[in-house]
Amino acid sequence: MHDFCFTIPYGFVLMLGGLIGYANKGSLVSLVGGSGAGLLLILAGYLSLGSFKKKKNSYFALILETVTATGLTYVMGQRYMETSKVMPAGIVAGISAFMTAFYVYKVATGGNHFPAKVE
């Protein structure tokens, strides 16, 4: 599985969560944090997709994805530990932990792999 297949939807989920947090509670932190992280991940996903189309890896995008997901895991994990609220802190921390593990796996295996040419 290629990193951009998960990264782009993950970014949209974070953006949507930030917008919902702002709409429901008026939380500017949710809006900026969710939208900022989401846009960063969507950008990284599109960089990776563009590189994949050229049969290359974008290690910059992969590192950006990994750092963003790790940061979200830490921040939202801390927030969950303080508040014990599953929504949104626990959910975002859990999804981000999964994504961090996926990105570390992608880094360890050399990024996206390309199918062999059929002759």
Side-chain angles (χ1 to χ4, degrees):
M1 186 59 68
H2 307 295
D3 62 311
F4 54 83
C5 294
F6 288 123
T7 301
I8 295 169
Y10 173 45
F12 278 117
V13 166
L14 291 173
M15 281 185 62
L16 181 63
L19 290 171
I20 290 171
Y22 179 73
N24 287 346
K25 303 280 185 181
S27 173
L28 204 56
V29 173
S30 290
L31 180 64
V32 172
S35 296
L39 283 172
L40 200 60
L41 286 164
I42 291 168
L43 172 69
Y46 277 109
L47 285 173
S48 181
L49 177 60
S51 294
F52 180 77
K53 287 179 181 178
K54 296 175 187 171
K55 303 252 188 260
K56 296 182 178 183
N57 276 308
S58 175
Y59 293 107
F60 172 74
L62 193 54
I63 296 303
L64 183 60
E65 295 161 353
T66 306
V67 168
T68 304
T70 302
L72 280 169
T73 302
Y74 178 77
V75 169
M76 295 308 273
Q78 290 289 75
R79 186 165 296 158
Y80 174 73
M81 297 301 280
E82 291 171 4
T83 64
S84 297
K85 291 184 180 179
V86 174
M87 190 64 179
I91 300 291
V92 173
I95 293 170
S96 297
F98 170 78
M99 292 304 294
T100 299
F102 173 70
Y103 295 139
V104 167
Y105 167 76
K106 294 305 285 182
V107 168
T109 59
N112 293 320
H113 297 282
F114 308 100
K117 288 186 178 181
V118 177
E119 295 182 27

